[in-house]
Amino acid sequence: MTAVKKVPFHLTNTLTRKKEEFVPSDPPHVGLYVCGPTVYSDVHLGNVRTFTSFDVLYRWLTHIGYNVRYVRNITDVGHLLGDAADGEDRISKGARAEQLEPMEVVQKYTNGFHAVMRLFNNLDPSIEPTATGHLLEQVEMVQRILKSGFAYESNGSVYFDVPKYAEKHGYGGLSGRKIDELLANTRGTEGQDEKRSPLDFAIWKNAEPEHLMKWNSPWGVGFPGWHLECSVMSTKYLGSTFDIHGGGMDLKFPHHECEIAQSVAADGQVPVRYWMHTNMLTVNGRKMSKSEGNGFTPEELISGDHKLLDRGYSPMTVRFFMLQCHYASTLDFSNEALQAAEKGLSRLMAATDLLPNLRPAASSEVDVAALEQRCYDAMNDDLNTPVMIAELFEGVRIINSVNDGKLSLDQEGIDQLSRLFEAMVFDVLGLMREGAGAASDRVLDGLVKEFIHMRAEAKASRDFATSDRIRDRLLELGIQLNDTKEGTTWNKV
Ligand code: AMP
Ligand code: ZN
């Protein structure tokens, strides 16, 4: 039997725009930082897609033997509306709207975020730091940037001096932006007079008296700029240069570009070796977002209670739908695609359930090792989950043929296939069996309706012994039938 090659892993590094072999700086340790949610409202399904993509990265790196420290932050201050320098803080806006303390808003939506992550079977990160928990470190980083000469104080705020930095170190490499073009595209905005250049961004912002979240600092009362927290928290827990930094594509600019500039300016270190950016979940081609009004929450998705949804779908159906698309491609939401994913997932799970009962043959007609190798190759090729899933369906075809007695597989082959499915379906893709999920509920509903129909037929032919037996047997199984004027309904008891 040929041994399956499980490494090396290749990842598209968005910094170099190339697919590169992933070599950690201190194997077997891997440092992974992912920008977490801004906890001022419910997460929508687009956010879930991004965190699910990184969950699969985390699972895969762990599966191929790395010891991953996964840091995913909670943004609880500093992220302004419209990402502008002069917008209202998102958390403060939420607090005003809901008449809550800002920290109540933070707690409420952090809890909600955790519940959603669990629902979709996304693993907890190793560390989940908050921006407000790292204010001292942020102030210190501002001081280091001031000391290195790449920032200046103005009216109680501190701005990063982009043109000065760009001249020395270059700026825009990650996002492919050019300073001249950026300058040409800037419009006069309020508060800009404090800045030397419209490209400069606040690393510390002076707080107006009505501002809710503010702290004392060497520059007066204020709050940190949004980009600063990620620079501080990633390097605090993963070191001044760490392996992988991720986030949605929309964070490349300005957020991640500014992160690089801050770290280089403060500590003279390029912070990240591999950048990974995931693509967007869209609705009719438009990015799903809160402001577009085309975002729905996971709860709405499960209940089906939203204008975009024909009916409800289970969390694992949605996870499977997402993983059937490569993380770097856009994924357009549609009811048809979800229905297809539901069918595919139930075929996959049904085959997985058959595995323990397959009858071994004396010899094997199947090369399971080759199938296993193709699964590893797909995942090692930039986390190609759609190709890996297609390989698993080749496995499904084999399992069904063996079960039907049309193909022979020996005990060793069955064991190898079982291990492969256990690893890929559950550990790597993170799918779960859904006992009482939407799909199985629909099957149950269909079956009970069939019995109701049989009972009605028995009654019509005055076979009351049969009709009563159907009713009593269903009740023993926890299904109660109710005869009403409109017909017979059922419920679980
Ligand atoms: P936010 O809470 O807005 O900072 O977003 C949290 C994460 O979700 C970020 O990494 C965003 O890039 C990501 N995100 C936002 N909208 C979408 C979308 N429609 N599809 C995929 N990811 C998204
Ligand atoms: Zn971030």
Side-chain angles (χ1 to χ4, degrees):
M1 200 177 72
T2 43
V4 171
K5 209 166 159 269
K6 301 191 170 175
V7 284
F9 172 53
H10 289 79
L11 178 70
T12 296
N13 186 350
T14 37
L15 186 63
T16 58
R17 294 164 188 80
K18 285 198 189 89
K19 210 185 279 181
E20 296 175 10
E21 180 176 336
F22 174 67
V23 185
S25 55
D26 179 24
H29 302 285
V30 171
L32 167 65
Y33 185 89
V34 173
C35 293
T38 306
V39 282
Y40 73 114
S41 65
D42 289 320
V43 282
H44 58 66
L45 209 63
N47 307 126
V48 174
R49 182 186 183 204
T50 285
F51 296 121
T52 302
S53 299
F54 288 108
D55 183 60
V56 172
L57 171 70
Y58 178 40
R59 286 169 179 273
W60 184 248
L61 291 170
T62 306
H63 179 76
I64 57 177
Y66 291 117
N67 181 355
V68 185
R69 180 178 291 166
Y70 175 19
V71 183
R72 187 184 66 206
N73 72 303
I74 294 282
T75 294
D76 57 357
V77 69
H79 194 175
L80 306 182
L81 282 170
D83 297 344
D86 52 356
E88 189 178 2
D89 183 284
R90 293 181 190 216
I91 307 288
S92 298
K93 185 172 187 238
R96 273 188 227 283
E98 299 192 44
Q99 300 203 334
L100 295 172
E101 265 295 309
M103 276 299 139
E104 262 180 302
V105 173
V106 164
Q107 193 64 55
K108 177 176 168 185
Y109 292 109
T110 302
N111 293 347
F113 172 65
H114 287 159
V116 169
M117 288 298 99
R118 237 164 274 137
L119 197 62
F120 287 90
N121 203 25
N122 285 330
L123 299 173
D124 292 336
S126 331
I127 306 177
E128 193 172 53
T130 62
T132 55
H134 296 74
L135 273 156
L136 263 180
E137 292 91 333
Q138 293 184 74
V139 167
E140 284 167 9
M141 189 162 202
V142 173
Q143 286 172 320
R144 294 203 299 283
I145 300 173
L146 276 169
K147 201 162 159 225
S148 69
F150 291 111
Y152 55 90
E153 191 185 343
S154 172
N155 233 347
S157 294
V158 182
Y159 290 99
F160 192 95
D161 191 333
V162 172
K164 185 169 176 192
Y165 173 84
E167 211 176 290
K168 176 103 189 277
H169 298 287
Y171 180 76
L174 178 68
S175 56
R177 316 254 171 152
K178 301 216 162 39
I179 276 278
D180 303 343
E181 289 166 15
L182 284 170
L183 270 173
N185 288 333
T186 50
R187 281 169 288 147
T189 49
E190 205 191 318
Q192 206 163 278
D193 40 337
E194 286 184 358
K195 300 195 226 170
R196 292 181 190 160
S197 159
L199 299 185
D200 297 350
F201 57 91
I203 47 180
W204 186 265
K205 192 90 175 78
N206 167 36
E208 301 296 329
E210 67 275 13
H211 200 91
L212 294 178
M213 302 176 83
K214 51 196 174 194
W215 292 265
N216 279 323
S217 80
W219 315 284
V221 177
F223 57 95
W226 169 41
H227 315 306
L228 199 63
E229 57 168 288
C230 287
S231 286
V232 160
M233 296 188 283
S234 58
T235 53
K236 171 163 177 152
Y237 296 110
L238 300 173
S240 52
T241 299
F242 59 94
D243 292 314
I244 308 176
H245 190 320
M249 288 239 288
D250 54 338
L251 298 186
K252 241 192 221 182
F253 189 87
H255 187 53
H256 292 158
E257 201 70 74
C258 296
E259 274 189 52
I260 298 175
Q262 288 168 160
S263 279
V264 172
D267 304 314
Q269 299 267 7
V270 176
V272 180
R273 302 176 62 237
Y274 301 84
W275 282 92
M276 173 171 160
H277 288 99
T278 55
N279 217 323
M280 297 290 111
L281 180 69
T282 57
V283 180
N284 297 324
R286 296 174 79 96
K287 176 186 164 188
M288 182 180 278
S289 77
K290 203 175 151 54
S291 52
E292 286 266 351
N294 64 357
F296 48 81
T297 63
E299 286 78 11
E300 289 165 334
L301 179 88
I302 292 162
S303 66
D305 190 13
H306 191 278
K307 62 180 187 310
L308 285 169
L309 295 161
D310 291 350
R311 60 171 168 84
Y313 299 92
S314 76
M316 286 305 110
T317 295
V318 179
R319 187 173 175 104
F320 190 64
F321 158 71
M322 289 174 174
L323 298 179
Q324 278 181 309
C325 177
H326 189 253
Y327 76 80
S329 306
T330 52
L331 171 61
D332 204 43
F333 164 85
S334 79
N335 283 280
E336 296 71 35
L338 279 171
Q339 279 152 28
E342 192 175 82
K343 280 207 189 102
L345 180 62
S346 78
R347 270 187 68 214
L348 182 65
M349 288 300 178
T352 310
D353 291 340
L354 281 179
L355 268 166
N357 304 317
L358 289 186
R359 294 249 197 96
S363 63
S364 185
E365 294 173 301
V366 186
D367 186 352
V368 183
L371 177 69
E372 188 175 357
Q373 185 64 65
R374 293 199 301 274
C375 287
Y376 277 89
D377 289 349
M379 290 302 286
N380 277 328
D381 182 15
D382 203 15
L383 293 180
N384 203 330
T385 52
V387 169
M388 197 268 260
I389 290 172
E391 295 298 349
L392 288 180
F393 276 106
E394 172 59 14
V396 168
R397 195 191 60 77
I398 294 167
I399 292 167
N400 291 335
S401 301
V402 172
N403 190 52
D404 293 343
K406 293 182 186 137
L407 192 69
S408 51
L409 189 61
D410 59 12
Q411 188 63 55
E412 197 187 324
I414 293 175
D415 291 346
Q416 197 176 5
L417 201 55
S418 302
R419 281 196 303 272
L420 176 67
F421 267 62
E422 191 61 37
M424 295 297 156
V425 175
F426 300 105
D427 295 350
V428 171
L429 294 178
L431 296 167
M432 287 190 299
R433 285 194 174 82
E434 288 174 307
S440 58
D441 273 356
R442 249 190 314 288
V443 172
L444 181 64
D445 186 51
L447 286 172
V448 175
K449 285 195 175 128
E450 199 54 43
F451 280 115
I452 290 173
H453 182 66
M454 281 159 62
R455 179 167 165 261
E457 279 183 347
K459 265 190 180 170
S461 54
R462 308 191 68 75
D463 179 2
F464 297 114
T466 302
S467 72
D468 286 352
R469 198 173 64 243
I470 292 174
R471 185 197 58 209
D472 295 346
R473 186 73 190 103
L474 285 176
L475 193 59
E476 274 169 37
L477 294 168
I479 306 284
Q480 180 167 20
L481 302 186
N482 315 298
D483 294 317
T484 70
K485 275 194 217 126
E486 286 78 35
T488 306
T489 61
W490 70 274
N491 57 273
K492 288 188 197 170
V493 287

